[in-house]
């Protein structure tokens, strides 16, 4: 089965840039989506198709995807960005959705 | 407002059954594929099942195949998950999620319903 690997945690000071990675074999050939989940809340889509931004999501959220690593970048981090972030892909080999294990973003 | 509302979660004994529902509003339900995703306490997201808009395509995670059945009623704007032979490891918050037609990303999520499997 296809595996997505995320760092368990990332810490960043307010105003700095946070980068959260999502590793997978040849992930660059897949479309990667990113979800933000705050404690006690449902997930929210923040990036789709590697770098697309849904309506209402700040421009500070961006994404990239190449070879074996996809990256969610959050610029000018704010306290309100503190959350768990999950990457997601569709594995066409077995028609399964796969989530990464999640990364807890801490704003120092 | 586009919205998904889950219901049906409960405490159930191991080996028991439960049926979850998800009511959609604010969009043309039949035009979208839908998914169930679960999250065990303190754990990450786990995809459970997918159903296309016409119910012609259905997929399951290996962990639930043969025990869970996904279905939908487009006339009622409703998505269902029939869960049989429940195990302790099925304990989780269950979310329904709408899938974007082109991107296959989950763009709308419900707030979830809690399923606890315990004796």
């Amino acid at each position: 089965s296809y595996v997505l690997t995320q760092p368990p945690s990332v810490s960043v000071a307010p105003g700095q840039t946070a980068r959260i990675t999502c590793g997978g074999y040849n992930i660059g050939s897949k479309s990667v989506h990113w979800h933000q989940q705050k404690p006690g809340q449902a997930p929210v889509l923040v990036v789709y198709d590697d770098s697309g931004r849904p309506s209402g999501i700040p421009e500070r959220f961006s994404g990239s995807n190449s070879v074996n690593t996809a990256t969610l970048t959050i610029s000018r981090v704010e306290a309100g960005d503190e959350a768990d972030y999950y990457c997601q892909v569709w594995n066409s080999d077995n028609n399964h959705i796969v989530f990464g294990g999640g990364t807890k973003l801490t704003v120092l | 407002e586009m919205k998904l509302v889950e219901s049906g979660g409960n405490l159930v004994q191991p080996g028991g059954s439960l049926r979850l529902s998800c009511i959609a509003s604010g969009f043309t339900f039949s035009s979208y594929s839908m998914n169930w995703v679960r999250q065990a306490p303190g754990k990450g997201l786990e995809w459970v099942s997918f159903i296309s808009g016409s119910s012609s395509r259905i997929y399951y995670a290996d962990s639930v195949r043969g025990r869970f059945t996904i279905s939908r009623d487009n006339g009622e704007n409703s998505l269902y998950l029939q869960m049989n032979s429940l195990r302790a490891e099925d304990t989780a918050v269950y979310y329904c999620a709408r899938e974007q037609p082109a991107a296959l990303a989950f763009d709308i999520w419900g707030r979830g319903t809690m399923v606890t499997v315990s004796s």
Side-chain angles (χ1 to χ4, degrees):
Chain A
S1 61
Y2 193 76
V3 176
L4 295 175
T5 301
Q6 297 182 236
S9 62
V10 168
S11 299
V12 64
Q16 299 304 303
T17 297
R19 294 179 180 84
I20 298 172
T21 58
C22 176
Y25 176 74
N26 201 26
I27 195 174
S29 67
K30 303 181 184 298
S31 288
V32 181
H33 320 297
W34 292 90
H35 302 273
Q36 174 195 68
Q37 186 181 34
K38 296 181 179 180
Q41 298 184 20
V44 172
L45 180 68
V46 293
V47 167
Y48 67 93
D49 272 358
D50 299 340
S51 58
R53 200 169 43 249
S55 172
I57 300 301
E59 292 184 4
R60 300 184 297 105
F61 288 81
S62 62
S64 63
N65 186 13
S66 180
V67 192
N68 293 316
T69 303
T71 303
L72 172 69
T73 302
I74 309 172
S75 304
R76 302 181 298 284
V77 167
E78 303 173 356
D81 298 331
E82 194 163 273
D84 293 325
Y85 291 85
Y86 296 90
C87 56
Q88 174 219 325
V89 301
W90 173 265
N91 183 12
S92 57
D93 291 341
N94 58 3
N95 292 317
H96 283 188
I97 292 289
V98 181
F99 286 99
T103 298
K104 181 176 180 59
L105 176 66
T106 298
V107 181
L108 301 171
Chain B
E1 179 192 8
M2 295 177 287
K3 201 173 178 181
L4 297 170
V5 179
E6 303 93 337
S7 62
N10 211 334
L11 170 64
V12 61
Q13 292 189 340
S17 298
L18 210 54
R19 188 194 197 206
L20 305 184
S21 301
C22 170
I23 306 293
S25 59
F27 62 95
T28 305
F29 181 67
S30 60
S31 296
Y32 291 88
S33 297
M34 298 294 296
N35 289 263
W36 287 99
V37 176
R38 68 185 180 183
Q39 186 170 37
K43 302 298 185 182
L45 301 174
E46 179 189 14
W47 171 75
V48 173
S49 185
F50 161 98
I51 186 168
S52 63
S54 64
S55 303
S56 60
R57 291 178 294 134
I58 288 176
Y59 307 123
Y60 297 100
D62 294 345
S63 57
V64 306
R65 184 179 297 111
R67 300 187 299 122
F68 290 11
T69 302
I70 192 171
S71 63
R72 64 190 296 162
D73 183 337
N74 288 339
E76 297 292 327
N77 292 337
S78 296
L79 174 72
Y80 305 103
L81 186 67
Q82 177 66 44
M83 303 186 296
N84 298 330
S85 304
L86 283 162
R87 307 166 180 168
E89 54 265 36
D90 296 319
T91 294
V93 174
Y94 284 73
Y95 298 99
C96 62
R98 188 184 85 165
E99 190 172 288
Q100 288 180 339
L104 307 183
F106 300 162
D107 64 343
I108 299 176
W109 295 73
R111 298 187 68 173
T113 186
M114 183 70 202
V115 173
T116 303
V117 184
S118 175
S119 54

